[in-house]
Amino acid sequence: MLNYYPNFSRFPCLSPMSQQLMSSGPSLKKLNGNGASHPKTATSKPAIISLVSCIVLIISAYFSVDPRSLNAASDTYALCSRNGDNVYTVDAQNSRTQCIVVQGALIADRGSLQHVTNRWNSFSLYKVIFRRPSLDIRFIRPGAIIVPGLSDSHAHILEYGAAQQLPLEGTKNIQDTVARVRDFILANPDVYNDTSKFIVGGGWDHTIWPTTGWPTSAHLEDDPVIRGRPVVLQSKDCHALWASAKAIEASMPFPEAVDGGIIVRDKTGKPTGVLLDNAQELLKQPELTEGDLQRRFRVAVRDAHAFGLTSIHDAGLDPASLAFFKRQAETGTLPLRIYGMTFFDENKAYWGNTTTPIIGAGNGRLTARSVKIFADGALRTGGAALYEPYADNPSTNGFMRLDSDILFDVIPKFLRDGWQVNVHAIGDRANGIVLDAFEASLKGVNVTASRPRLEHAQIMTDADMKRLGRLGVIASVQPTHAISDMWYAQDRLGPERIKGLYAFRSLIDSGARITLGSDFPVEAMNPLSGFYAAVTRVSPDGKSPHGPDGWFPEQRITRQEALRGMTIDPAYASFTETTLGSLEIGKRADYVVLSQDIMTVPANEILATKVLFTALDGQAIYEDI
């Protein structure tokens, strides 16, 4: 409902003539010079009596209104900028406006301050009867803007919470990382006093360390505080685990080889303490308690709200994570929108026809209607499947994490049974194989109804980029990966192949629809970091291997494309574009107030932008006070 004017169609006693009189103004008739009725406005006495009687009925009807609908009126407010159209609606026309009107959980109106004031503060019988106050108008601070609630199209919620307990991002070498683990133990008496307690951390990045090769269990055992404790440390890209001797011993024996994974061994064949890709699953760890999950979730939600995120696509829910989110939704306590990708285990029976997708549980805040399949590993750890060998390691061209026959078998089955299919693919060979499987599976399928996604789409040939656009497969990309990987990528791929890495402009120009994410905790959660990376292709300090204009600057995207990539495009990629992703009438009132205009400020000032206010369903979930 957009206003509180009576619905006259409910009252048949109102003839067309009396309805016209009601809407024409306060004067019911005009007299000519001799006191006779004017022919155009003459109304008989019985008609007037009938009209008055009908008004009495209307008043009586309104006095019987459900009181809950009156309470809803108090949830109505306008949010405006004092000067200029500082509301970016992200509608089809990319229009801007001065105000939005929020009514309950929905956007009820938008327009200029004069428009919403005239429309919502105008005289009506309803307001007179119920003494409804004037519209509550709230103004944002000068220079601030309003955008739709921000979305991350590819992230890992509970894994982020885990990584924040012992963050290893930015350590300069192995010894620095070991020292951080030791300091964590010493700072937490419950951990220090229990040598059997598993210590979990994440974020180490061997590509920025001066030494070559992998860390080992021995590096952890060299520290007397850590020695003998079970320690499991996840790499920055989440494709490698570095474990202590105690953690490794508890998981033995290991098989000689692992399909789609690597057990790093020394010259004698003994595991050194690092497990890559599918081999990570060999490491036995205690099951997480409900308390563990709650702590991780609270940390992730707290930071998401502060960064303006109202919706997150969780890329790979294992059964325990999915069950946890379902429990949260059942109790009605989900504090953000979660679009879950259910984890696919190729070693288990096909489940797409026996499992019911979750759509809009928990007041519309939990959906799990897609499946996440891993095709290959990661570039950082050398597991991305390439057509040609790695330039810095000619002995390998990476590996597929599952047999390609599985893709051709299960993708059409999932599509047939109503599931969205999202496939992780990094290397050019992996992307090519996945597109082969999509092309075969999409014959006769309504791609708009199924909306398959290529998660990462990092290295692609020109031909495959064009094929991606032709097939209508969504490219789910992470711009902050580009400015992280640009420092080592050419050494790994060589000067020619690297041109197809993170080629966002080429993807869009090929006709592909892209949607932006961060892959947190692999990268920072802040969506404005992704916005900045996408439009500049330089590091936060303004540098790149190709200078201040950006790394392959021709692959930059526009600010408008970047804003859509974190609002309406994620909504489309999660089948919610009719209710989320833009500030349009009838959609959910998810919005963010930013301290400055990211669409116009100099590029080097984008990262100084602060989130002032985050709203979900029209209600504040974060406020910078």
Side-chain angles (χ1 to χ4, degrees):
M1 184 171 66
L2 300 184
N3 54 47
Y4 289 91
Y5 297 116
N7 179 6
F8 294 121
S9 64
R10 295 173 50 199
F11 304 99
C13 60
L14 285 177
S15 66
M17 173 64 76
S18 56
Q19 290 182 37
Q20 181 182 5
L21 290 173
M22 285 281 290
S23 61
S24 62
S27 176
L28 294 181
K29 67 176 182 178
K30 295 180 181 179
L31 300 179
N32 58 22
N34 59 10
S37 296
H38 191 283
K40 291 187 179 180
T41 57
T43 305
S44 66
K45 185 174 181 181
I48 295 175
I49 294 174
S50 176
L51 179 59
V52 171
S53 300
C54 196
I55 291 174
V56 173
L57 289 175
I58 293 172
I59 294 173
S60 300
Y62 273 112
F63 272 115
S64 65
V65 169
D66 186 337
R68 289 174 297 181
S69 67
L70 303 184
N71 294 335
S74 64
D75 295 330
T76 302
Y77 61 91
L79 189 65
C80 305
S81 58
R82 290 189 181 275
N83 298 301
D85 293 339
N86 286 346
V87 180
Y88 287 84
T89 68
V90 197
D91 60 10
Q93 294 74 38
N94 294 317
S95 60
R96 297 169 59 180
T97 190
Q98 187 178 9
C99 300
I100 55 172
V101 176
V102 176
Q103 188 173 49
L106 303 178
I107 303 293
D109 203 357
R110 63 181 187 177
S112 67
L113 178 59
Q114 181 178 0
H115 164 81
V116 300
T117 301
N118 290 345
R119 184 167 189 177
W120 291 80
N121 285 338
S122 59
F123 173 85
S124 75
L125 181 62
Y126 178 88
K127 291 181 180 180
V128 172
I129 294 172
F130 293 112
R131 299 187 180 93
R132 183 174 178 269
S134 297
L135 179 65
D136 177 14
I137 299 178
R138 307 169 188 178
F139 291 94
I140 59 176
R141 69 172 62 172
I145 65 170
I146 304 168
V147 298
L150 303 179
S151 295
D152 192 308
S153 293
H154 186 111
H156 306 274
I157 297 171
L158 297 179
E159 289 78 2
Y160 175 89
Q164 295 308 301
Q165 295 176 38
L166 174 51
L168 303 175
E169 184 87 18
T171 55
K172 296 179 175 60
N173 50 48
I174 292 175
Q175 292 70 32
D176 188 21
T177 310
V178 170
R180 197 173 291 189
V181 177
R182 179 184 66 245
D183 293 345
F184 172 80
I185 295 171
L186 294 174
N188 291 274
D190 61 322
V191 178
Y192 179 78
N193 294 323
D194 184 357
T195 58
S196 67
K197 191 177 185 67
F198 262 72
I199 299 166
V200 178
W204 57 271
D205 181 6
H206 69 293
T207 67
I208 65 173
W209 295 345
T211 55
T212 58
W214 297 104
T216 67
S217 297
H219 290 117
L220 294 169
E221 297 305 312
D222 287 342
D223 189 286
V225 175
I226 302 174
R227 187 180 304 136
R229 297 174 183 268
V231 179
V232 180
L233 307 176
Q234 182 82 65
S235 66
K236 176 180 172 64
D237 62 6
C238 296
H239 285 263
L241 287 178
W242 171 18
S244 67
K246 186 76 171 180
I248 293 290
E249 290 167 6
S251 304
M252 295 291 280
F254 287 158
E256 286 298 315
V258 179
D259 289 337
I262 295 175
I263 304 168
V264 179
R265 301 177 187 271
D266 61 19
K267 294 180 181 179
T268 68
K270 181 181 178 181
T272 64
V274 171
L275 306 171
L276 306 180
D277 288 299
N278 287 354
Q280 296 177 98
E281 299 168 14
L282 300 174
L283 201 66
K284 298 176 182 176
Q285 300 183 56
E287 288 189 12
L288 296 173
T289 67
E290 189 71 10
D292 293 331
L293 296 169
Q294 289 282 3
R295 281 190 294 274
R296 295 180 179 189
F297 189 50
R298 283 197 296 270
V299 169
V301 168
R302 177 200 66 198
D303 292 354
H305 290 172
F307 287 130
L309 287 169
T310 57
S311 177
I312 297 173
H313 300 189
D314 198 297
L317 294 177
D318 61 31
S321 298
L322 180 57
F324 172 75
F325 289 136
K326 286 175 67 176
R327 290 195 296 274
Q328 299 305 299
E330 288 166 359
T331 59
T333 56
L334 268 183
L336 49 74
R337 305 189 194 283
I338 299 174
Y339 183 76
M341 307 178 201
T342 306
F343 179 75
F344 172 73
D345 186 343
E346 66 269 24
N347 297 314
K348 294 185 178 180
Y350 173 73
W351 47 263
N353 58 344
T354 59
T355 304
T356 302
I358 301 169
I359 300 177
N363 193 29
R365 294 188 181 180
L366 176 64
T367 291
R369 59 175 298 177
S370 63
V371 58
K372 168 75 176 297
I373 301 173
F374 282 91
D376 67 343
L379 182 66
R380 190 180 296 271
T381 49
L386 306 176
Y387 284 119
E388 302 295 334
Y390 281 86
D392 59 351
N393 186 7
S395 66
T396 181
N397 62 342
F399 52 84
M400 294 290 288
R401 288 182 60 169
L402 80 175
D403 193 290
S404 59
D405 289 344
I406 296 176
L407 294 172
F408 284 86
D409 177 46
V410 301
I411 289 178
K413 289 180 179 177
F414 278 115
L415 293 174
R416 176 199 66 198
D417 293 327
W419 293 85
Q420 182 188 47
V421 178
N422 305 343
V423 185
H424 163 113
I426 303 291
D428 50 10
R429 179 162 62 98
N431 277 290
I433 292 172
V434 173
L435 284 179
D436 288 343
F438 273 138
E439 189 166 21
S441 304
L442 288 170
K443 291 178 181 178
V445 174
N446 183 343
V447 70
T448 303
S450 56
R451 303 184 192 183
R453 293 169 47 162
L454 202 55
E455 301 298 317
H456 305 303
Q458 281 188 10
I459 314 166
M460 300 186 73
T461 65
D462 288 340
D464 277 343
M465 289 187 208
K466 292 181 176 63
R467 184 160 56 137
L468 181 75
R470 186 175 70 252
L471 291 175
V473 175
I474 298 167
S476 172
V477 300
Q478 298 75 44
T480 43
H481 282 341
I483 63 173
S484 290
D485 293 358
M486 63 184 178
W487 301 106
Y488 72 86
Q490 183 159 322
D491 291 340
R492 190 144 297 177
L493 297 174
E496 286 303 315
R497 186 167 41 182
I498 197 174
K499 295 175 183 178
L501 179 65
Y502 302 115
F504 304 142
R505 177 83 269 145
S506 295
L507 285 172
I508 293 175
D509 290 346
S510 73
R513 186 164 191 161
I514 70 170
T515 183
L516 307 185
S518 68
D519 204 7
F520 70 73
V522 178
E523 304 289 353
M525 180 187 280
N526 186 359
L528 295 183
S529 296
F531 181 93
Y532 169 84
V535 303
T536 67
R537 294 179 72 92
V538 297
S539 61
D541 60 359
K543 298 177 182 177
S544 85
H546 296 163
D549 287 336
W551 182 60
F552 293 106
E554 67 275 10
Q555 295 296 344
R556 293 178 301 202
I557 65 176
T558 69
R559 299 194 195 198
Q560 192 67 64
E561 289 167 337
L563 181 60
R564 294 185 71 85
M566 49 205 280
T567 53
I568 192 63
D569 291 330
Y572 176 83
S574 58
F575 301 90
T576 54
E577 75 277 10
T578 61
T579 56
L580 302 174
S582 61
L583 300 176
E584 298 182 78
I585 295 172
K587 287 193 173 185
R588 290 282 179 175
D590 296 358
Y591 63 84
V592 179
V593 180
L594 300 176
S595 63
Q596 60 178 350
D597 191 346
I598 59 173
M599 307 299 284
T600 61
V601 297
N604 61 0
E605 296 179 16
I606 290 173
L607 292 179
T609 308
K610 303 295 183 184
V611 172
L612 302 179
F613 193 87
T614 306
L616 185 69
D617 280 338
Q619 300 297 313
I621 54 175
Y622 172 80
E623 186 170 4
D624 182 4
I625 56 175

